[in-house]
Amino acid sequence: MFSLLRISCRTAARRAVVQGPRRDLSEGAAGGGGASGTGDGEGTGSAAVAAATRKRLEGLVKKDKVVVFIKGTPAQPMCGFSNAVVQILRMHGVEDYGSYNVLEDQEIRQGIKNYSNWPTIPQIYFDGEFVGGCDILLQMHQNGDLVEELKKLGIRSALLDVEKEDKK
């Protein structure tokens, strides 16, 4: 049942990544230009900022196999959900991942929410693909799907080694 729920959540999230962000960014840009009513191109600057932010975020989510947008840093998470994501990755031995502190950059903080069409932080990406938030990562960890997803990325979960030692 949890697996089916996770698949439904991930499918919806993937659909939102493909369909939602373009609509959200263009609506925001159009709203900015239309609201001024000046017709002097003010909206163009807004659209350019949105496009630049989107391009920047595309680069960030594809930069590493695992990417997280959290409040704080892996060494010092600034909220419980961000801490949970860091701890889950640590339990699986995932040390080499991209991490971006949304508290340091308001453009990233709001931009990543628009990009993924997901309203909360933290956000996790595998191989440039949006996975979800803390709740999804926790479910994946609990039902064993995270081990398989990491394997697809070429990352061996440290929990497999612990499991082998326990059987000895």
Side-chain angles (χ1 to χ4, degrees), residues 56-57 60 69 102 105-113:
R56 178 180 177 203
L57 290 168
L60 294 178
F69 291 85
V102 300
D105 190 332
Q106 281 302 113
E107 186 177 290
I108 286 182
R109 185 176 188 169
Q110 186 56 47
I112 198 63
K113 293 175 184 180

Side-chain angles (χ1 to χ4, degrees), residues 18-84:
V18 173
Q19 297 171 351
R22 289 188 185 111
R23 184 176 60 248
D24 289 344
L25 289 174
S26 65
E27 286 172 4
S36 69
T38 62
D40 62 359
E42 281 183 31
T44 305
S46 172
V49 169
T53 299
R54 181 167 181 78
K55 185 172 183 163
R56 178 180 177 203
L57 290 168
E58 284 175 356
L60 294 178
V61 301
K62 294 177 181 174
K63 189 174 180 183
D64 296 285
K65 289 181 181 182
V66 177
V67 174
V68 297
F69 291 85
I70 61 174
K71 293 178 181 175
T73 64
Q76 190 171 14
M78 300 299 284
C79 84
F81 297 111
S82 294
N83 185 46

Side-chain angles (χ1 to χ4, degrees), residues 84-151:
V85 166
V86 169
Q87 293 303 322
I88 290 168
L89 292 175
R90 190 172 292 146
M91 284 173 40
H92 285 269
V94 180
E95 305 267 335
D96 187 25
Y97 60 93
S99 173
Y100 300 95
N101 181 356
V102 300
L103 298 177
E104 290 182 348
D105 190 332
Q106 281 302 113
E107 186 177 290
I108 286 182
R109 185 176 188 169
Q110 186 56 47
I112 198 63
K113 293 175 184 180
N114 294 340
Y115 180 81
S116 64
N117 199 24
W118 192 265
T120 60
I121 303 292
Q123 292 188 15
I124 301 96
Y125 291 78
F126 289 166
D127 240 359
E129 184 179 332
F130 179 64
V131 173
C134 177
D135 55 342
I136 302 296
L137 192 68
L138 180 59
Q139 280 182 346
M140 291 173 68
H141 166 69
Q142 290 172 336
N143 67 20
D145 288 345
L146 185 53
V147 171
E148 293 303 314
E149 291 298 319
L150 291 173
K151 186 176 180 180

Side-chain angles (χ1 to χ4, degrees), residues 92 156-168:
H92 285 269
R156 179 173 169 78
S157 172
L159 292 182
L160 293 174
D161 298 332
V162 171
E163 193 175 281
K164 279 184 181 178
E165 288 178 19
D166 288 345
K167 288 182 180 179
K168 288 182 180 180

